Amino acid sequence: MSVNEEKWRLFIAIPLPQEVKYKLEEWCSEQKTRLDFKKWVHAEDYHITVQFLGDTAPGRLDELLASLSRAATGMGPLELEAAGIGTFGRPASPSVLWAGVRGEVAGLESLHSRVTSENRALGFVPEERRFSPHITLARKYREGARLDPAALQTQPEFGSWRADRLVIYRTHMHKRPMYEVVGSALLT
């Protein structure tokens, strides 16, 4: 591989259905005047990350799809629900605002383990931090602003769905929406 070969920034995720994306977007639109985050995620980019792969040669896509297919075989679809709100980072100035994931979370954790195990054989090292399924809604609370904990007291429900596939997303930095599906594998 040459130094100048194109790289794609890739990650593996569970996509969300349009109805759930719509409810998340509606809630976020209502919160933008109350929650002072610098960057709100585009509704078409809502997902549950399973594994971040990073900069990857496009020629590796076929082997990644084969790996995903192996990981997905025997898993079957998962019943999931988007519900609740939380943050990562310092409570007064969080780095991420997220919606929670409920339902067959143990199955989702098992799927994560299978995906990262299959991809480790391809040289993709899993993150060291514990897998924490969530849907990122916004990033980077404005410097100097302080988040009032009362702003996150409500625990809205955004809908449930049957997750039946894994997708490989390619990131297009500075575009909205910024994620493009470049492959998928069914949970069978």
Side-chain angles (χ1 to χ4, degrees):
M1 176 169 55
S2 75
V3 175
N4 295 326
E5 185 174 354
E6 178 185 21
K7 298 282 181 128
W8 289 358
R9 180 163 288 223
L10 302 178
F11 65 94
I12 297 165
I14 300 280
L16 276 59
Q18 286 305 128
E19 315 84 66
V20 173
K21 288 179 182 181
Y22 174 77
K23 288 179 183 175
L24 288 163
E25 179 182 33
E26 189 174 54
W27 184 86
C28 287
S29 292
E30 294 169 2
Q31 304 307 311
K32 286 180 181 178
T33 59
R34 298 178 52 223
L35 301 175
D36 207 5
F37 283 89
K38 288 182 184 179
K39 182 178 180 189
W40 290 84
V41 175
H42 190 284
E44 288 304 310
D45 289 338
Y46 297 145
H47 64 274
I48 303 168
T49 300
V50 175
Q51 184 181 17
F52 178 73
L53 301 173
D55 292 338
T56 306
R60 299 197 69 193
L61 193 56
D62 286 343
E63 69 180 328
L64 278 167
L65 287 169
S67 174
L68 276 194
S69 182
R70 288 189 299 272
T73 299
M75 283 300 302
L78 300 170
E79 298 295 329
L80 300 176
E81 177 186 7
I85 296 295
T87 60
F88 292 135
R90 296 179 316 183
S93 183
S95 56
V96 172
L97 173 69
W98 50 257
V101 177
R102 298 180 187 161
E104 293 184 70
V105 175
L108 188 54
E109 290 170 347
S110 177
L111 179 62
H112 168 263
S113 179
R114 290 173 73 158
V115 167
T116 57
S117 177
E118 286 288 341
N119 288 336
R120 183 187 298 271
L122 300 179
F124 294 98
V125 180
E127 292 183 272
E128 290 185 19
R129 64 182 166 194
R130 185 179 152 274
F131 178 61
S132 180
H134 65 279
I135 303 157
T136 299
L137 304 175
R139 292 185 177 88
K140 299 180 184 174
Y141 209 69
R142 293 207 186 272
E143 206 166 312
R146 292 187 55 79
L147 176 65
D148 177 3
L152 302 179
Q153 292 301 316
T154 63
Q155 293 300 305
E157 295 182 358
F158 303 105
S160 58
W161 75 100
R162 181 171 221 184
D164 64 354
R165 74 192 63 222
L166 286 165
V167 298
I168 301 174
Y169 281 113
R170 177 182 178 191
T171 303
H172 296 279
M173 298 302 288
H174 312 296
K175 291 190 177 183
R176 288 184 59 84
M178 66 189 289
Y179 303 134
E180 170 193 8
V181 175
V182 294
S184 66
L186 292 177
L187 299 176
T188 60

